Amino acid sequence: MNLWLVVLLASHLFAADASSGSSPASDKLTSTKLSNGIIIPLVGLGIGNLPHEQIPSVVHNSLQPDVDIRLVDTAHASRNEGILAKAIVDSDTSRQAGANNNKRTRGSSGNNIENPPPIHVVTKVWYTHLGYERTKRSVEESLKALQAVNTRQVYVHMLLHWPRCNDDIPWMNCDEEENNLPQYVKDVGPAPHLEIYAWKESWKALEELYVEHSHRKKTGKTKPILASIGVSNFELEDMTELLEIAKISPHLYQGNSWKVFHDPYLMTLLRDNNVFFQAYGVMNGILHRMDESPVAFNMLSDISRELASSVDASEGYESQSTHVITEATVLLAHLVNSDIGVIPRASSSAHQRENSPSSLSKVIPHLTATHIQQLQKAVPALMKGETLNASISFSNSLPGPIQIHWIHPETKEEMLVAHTVHSGQVEVIQSHPGHRFVAYDTEREVRKEVVVDVGYGERQHYSVEL
């Protein structure tokens, strides 16, 4: 059968199956559609670096109704796909047993325990397994591990983890990692670190496996389902080349949250080609730099309090505060509202609830245009650890020079901040909203006072003239 016809049929079949079943209203706010029609959750759980012994309890908590995670991110290199599969089955089995007990003692329960919703698993091919045959072996091993999930449908999103091993990256050790591979992997195909574009053959393998699963899906003989293919950590040059050679364009790109705010060329390329972006490193990359950018972090704190009040009011709790919305929740809601997927790692049940789709779906409807503008300024500043100011520029339109003074808010003392600004020149001063300045000519015959009335990350222009 023609490849493109197969792909079209795959998209239709996968999308119909992935969209079936009842879903809470919050799904509309916390899910998106891939280019092949698959509905994928925007909010997931990252377990790639979690200690193996923590995974069962973390997964169990995440699958509970008050958290309701339906996407888990991991990798073949993390060696935990089998642990994840067992954790899903154990959690579903435990909930089913509890529901049966309740049914016997209290009558029917209100939860659809017997038919839990599908779960999406994002996993990846490590760079030691690049190349056609090695990639196929890696994918087969991942699918076999996840095949143990017999309590619900599993949709697998398979990515190439990195385009290549690079010894310039400190933690990558290309020769050592190759030497430490099991012999059966070495026998499958050549060492990929010796071929800079081994990922191209890997992509060919992913395309073929994706099409193969479309055939199996029609006959009902596949579980789990290879629902989409994509890449992770590809830079602009490799991503551009992939899009040029691909017979099936990548459906998903996973990258550091830094790229969302600081790599406009890559983000534009992905958007123009309808490639869904899923961000990792959200908490470490942004919130952990709050001490370096306190003003930006305080903006997030102010927004979190405003949103908590709005949510309280919408649920009839105007007189008392019942919702605690954290800066992390605001940040995740901002990304999800921008159709960016997030996969925070959270081992505590409290943090899992903060990061959950249900929590974010309460916040997103209350994000205003002003909030979004503030977040677009605060988040990049936090990521870079930069001080966020309100700036004011003084343009001297007088024939002679001027001096600019800052007015102390308590003592009203005028403190010189710009000694000489010549005619026609512009002086930019970093300040804060509400601060006051005064400009004089050298004879002090002209006095112009101005208040900074813009927010952080914005600039106000003032012309000193007669």
Side-chain angles (χ1 to χ4, degrees):
M1 183 180 291
N2 180 275
L3 176 62
W4 296 112
L5 179 58
V6 172
V7 173
L8 181 62
L9 288 171
S11 299
H12 174 74
L13 289 164
F14 287 177
D17 192 75
S19 303
S20 64
S22 60
S23 300
S26 63
D27 279 7
K28 295 180 180 179
L29 296 174
T30 57
S31 62
T32 193
K33 183 182 289 187
L34 299 179
S35 60
N36 64 353
I38 286 284
I39 304 298
I40 187 172
L42 283 163
V43 186
L45 169 71
I47 66 165
N49 295 322
L50 274 181
H52 286 184
E53 65 272 13
Q54 292 184 18
I55 291 175
S57 62
V58 169
V59 169
H60 177 71
N61 291 337
S62 296
L63 295 179
Q64 300 310 301
D66 60 334
V67 180
D68 199 26
I69 286 292
R70 300 186 186 182
L71 183 146
V72 181
D73 174 73
T74 186
H76 187 266
S78 297
R79 301 178 182 177
N80 62 16
E81 292 158 323
I83 299 171
L84 169 62
K86 185 177 186 302
I88 294 170
V89 171
D90 288 349
S91 179
D92 289 344
T93 303
S94 173
R95 288 186 64 204
Q96 181 62 58
N100 290 339
N101 288 335
N102 287 335
K103 194 177 294 185
R104 285 193 295 268
T105 57
R106 303 177 186 175
S108 177
S109 70
N111 295 325
N112 187 21
I113 304 297
E114 294 182 0
N115 296 296
I119 190 160
H120 297 250
V121 177
V122 179
T123 190
K124 309 169 197 76
V125 177
W126 194 239
Y127 53 72
T128 55
H129 287 62
L130 293 175
Y132 182 83
E133 294 294 347
R134 287 196 185 189
T135 290
K136 278 203 163 184
R137 176 60 66 92
S138 176
V139 173
E140 288 166 359
E141 289 176 353
S142 294
L143 295 177
K144 183 177 180 180
L146 295 169
Q147 195 173 13
V149 179
N150 57 11
T151 52
R152 63 173 78 197
Q153 180 62 63
V154 179
Y155 291 97
V156 178
H157 307 269
M158 188 66 63
L159 314 182
L160 301 182
H161 208 149
W162 291 85
R164 62 188 58 84
C165 185
N166 183 354
D167 278 320
D168 291 335
I169 298 177
W171 54 265
M172 289 187 179
N173 301 288
C174 303
D175 288 329
E176 180 180 343
E177 290 185 66
E178 175 65 25
N179 292 335
N180 290 337
L181 286 174
Q183 189 60 44
Y184 79 88
V185 176
K186 298 177 184 179
D187 292 342
V188 169
H193 71 291
L194 302 178
E195 172 50 59
I196 191 172
Y197 291 113
W199 63 261
K200 293 183 180 181
E201 289 300 307
S202 292
W203 188 254
K204 180 180 177 182
L206 289 188
E207 289 178 324
E208 292 182 4
L209 288 164
Y210 178 73
V211 171
E212 180 183 333
H213 267 244
S214 73
H215 287 298
R216 294 183 185 176
K217 177 66 177 66
K218 287 189 292 183
T219 61
K221 294 181 179 179
T222 180
K223 192 173 184 178
I225 294 172
L226 182 57
S228 78
I229 54 177
V231 297
S232 176
N233 300 307
F234 273 46
E235 296 298 335
L236 180 64
E237 182 179 349
D238 285 327
M239 195 67 208
T240 301
E241 188 158 5
L242 171 58
L243 289 167
E244 289 174 353
I245 68 170
K247 294 178 181 178
I248 301 174
S249 291
H251 309 111
L252 191 156
Y253 180 103
Q254 190 182 101
N256 194 292
S257 56
W258 177 274
K259 293 187 179 296
V260 177
F261 301 95
H262 299 291
D263 197 341
Y265 297 108
L266 177 64
M267 296 304 295
T268 298
L269 179 70
L270 298 177
R271 185 168 53 251
D272 289 348
N273 287 276
N274 199 17
V275 181
F276 169 59
F277 190 98
Q278 191 178 66
Y280 68 79
V282 175
M283 303 307 182
N284 288 339
I286 301 175
L287 294 182
H288 286 188
R289 305 195 72 174
M290 59 184 178
D291 292 338
E292 300 173 52
S293 189
V295 171
F297 185 77
N298 287 339
M299 287 177 67
L300 258 67
S301 299
D302 291 341
I303 294 171
S304 68
R305 286 189 288 270
E306 291 174 13
L307 289 171
S309 297
S310 297
V311 174
D312 284 341
S314 70
E315 297 185 1
Y317 296 106
E318 294 93 339
S319 60
Q320 56 180 323
S321 177
T322 61
H323 291 90
V324 177
I325 295 173
T326 67
E327 292 82 4
T329 305
V330 172
L331 177 57
L332 295 175
H334 174 49
L335 290 168
V336 168
N337 187 55
S338 303
D339 214 33
I340 300 292
V342 293
I343 43 173
R345 185 182 68 180
S347 56
S348 76
S349 57
H351 286 161
Q352 289 170 15
R353 284 191 293 273
E354 286 177 15
N355 303 342
S356 69
S358 58
S359 293
L360 299 185
S361 64
K362 289 181 180 181
V363 172
I364 290 171
H366 299 280
L367 280 172
T368 66
T370 299
H371 290 148
I372 292 170
Q373 290 175 356
Q374 292 172 333
L375 287 164
Q376 288 172 341
K377 297 179 177 68
V379 174
L382 272 169
M383 296 187 85
K384 289 185 173 182
E386 293 179 342
T387 300
L388 197 61
N389 293 304
S391 61
I392 181 167
S393 63
F394 290 87
S395 175
N396 183 10
S397 299
L398 298 178
I402 61 172
Q403 294 181 338
I404 303 171
H405 299 254
W406 172 63
I407 302 175
H408 193 285
E410 296 178 359
T411 66
K412 308 305 178 187
E413 178 184 1
E414 296 179 0
M415 306 176 70
L416 183 65
V417 292
H419 188 272
T420 303
V421 182
H422 293 287
S423 179
Q425 289 185 339
V426 176
E427 180 74 16
V428 179
I429 298 174
Q430 303 299 327
S431 187
H432 300 273
H435 279 204
R436 305 177 75 89
F437 293 87
V438 60
Y440 293 101
D441 66 344
T442 53
E443 304 299 325
R444 292 226 165 191
E445 294 178 354
V446 177
R447 185 182 191 277
K448 298 290 184 178
E449 188 172 322
V450 61
V451 179
V452 179
D453 60 4
V454 294
Y456 287 110
E458 299 176 339
R459 175 177 289 191
Q460 176 179 348
H461 179 74
Y462 183 76
S463 179
V464 181
E465 54 191 28
L466 293 173

